[in-house]
């Protein structure tokens, strides 16, 4: 399942960030003008999820793994809820 940040959000005007939830991992793409950044995270490596959800505006999603943090900005509240639900399901399934 693919989610794309809003172009109206800070830092995503030209190149919006993307989150692809795949079967075994998450791909986070943060594109840039000359080069972008892609990260692949396994569900079982994620230790916690933090969401910053302001009253007005777009959400920031933070994924923590073994002392590292990946932060992605610009997603709607409904997208972040769905992303979190799917990640929680996949994390639970990988622990069985």
């Amino acid at each position: 399942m693919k989610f794309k940040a809003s172009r109206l959000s800070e830092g995503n005007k030209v190149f919006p960030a993307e989150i692809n939830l795949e079967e075994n991992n998450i791909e986070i793409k943060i594109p840039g003008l000359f080069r972008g950044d892609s990260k692949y995270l396994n569900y079982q490596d994620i230790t916690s999820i933090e969401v910053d959800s302001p009253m007005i505006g777009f959400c920031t999603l933070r994924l923590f793994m073994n002392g590292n943090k990946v932060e992605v900005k610009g997603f709607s509240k409904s997208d972040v809820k769905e992303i979190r639900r799917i990640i929680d399901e996949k994390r639970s399934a990988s622990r069985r």
Side-chain angles (χ1 to χ4, degrees):
M1 189 170 259
K2 183 185 265 190
F3 297 91
K4 195 174 220 177
S6 172
R7 289 185 184 271
L8 299 175
S9 62
E10 179 184 336
N12 291 306
K13 304 262 187 266
V14 178
F15 303 108
E18 291 181 12
I19 295 178
N20 297 320
L21 300 175
E22 299 171 356
E23 188 63 35
N24 297 317
N25 59 26
I26 303 167
E27 178 186 15
I28 297 176
K29 291 182 184 180
I30 302 175
L33 183 59
F34 296 108
R35 65 175 200 167
D37 189 19
S38 288
K39 295 179 178 162
Y40 292 89
L41 313 172
N42 290 321
Y43 292 110
Q44 65 268 17
D45 292 341
I46 297 172
T47 56
S48 67
I49 302 169
E50 188 178 284
V51 176
D52 182 14
S53 182
M55 285 290 253
I56 299 174
F58 297 97
C59 297
T60 299
L61 180 69
R62 291 180 197 90
L63 303 171
F64 295 91
M65 304 91 30
N66 304 324
N68 295 321
K69 174 179 77 171
V70 176
E71 184 174 275
V72 188
K73 299 178 181 183
F75 292 92
S76 69
K77 291 177 185 180
S78 61
D79 281 353
V80 168
K81 282 182 184 178
E82 183 68 9
I83 291 167
R84 187 174 191 157
R85 184 189 66 76
I86 293 170
I87 291 172
D88 286 339
E89 277 181 13
K90 299 286 187 176
R91 285 173 59 200
S92 295
S94 68
R95 290 183 184 145
R96 293 181 199 157

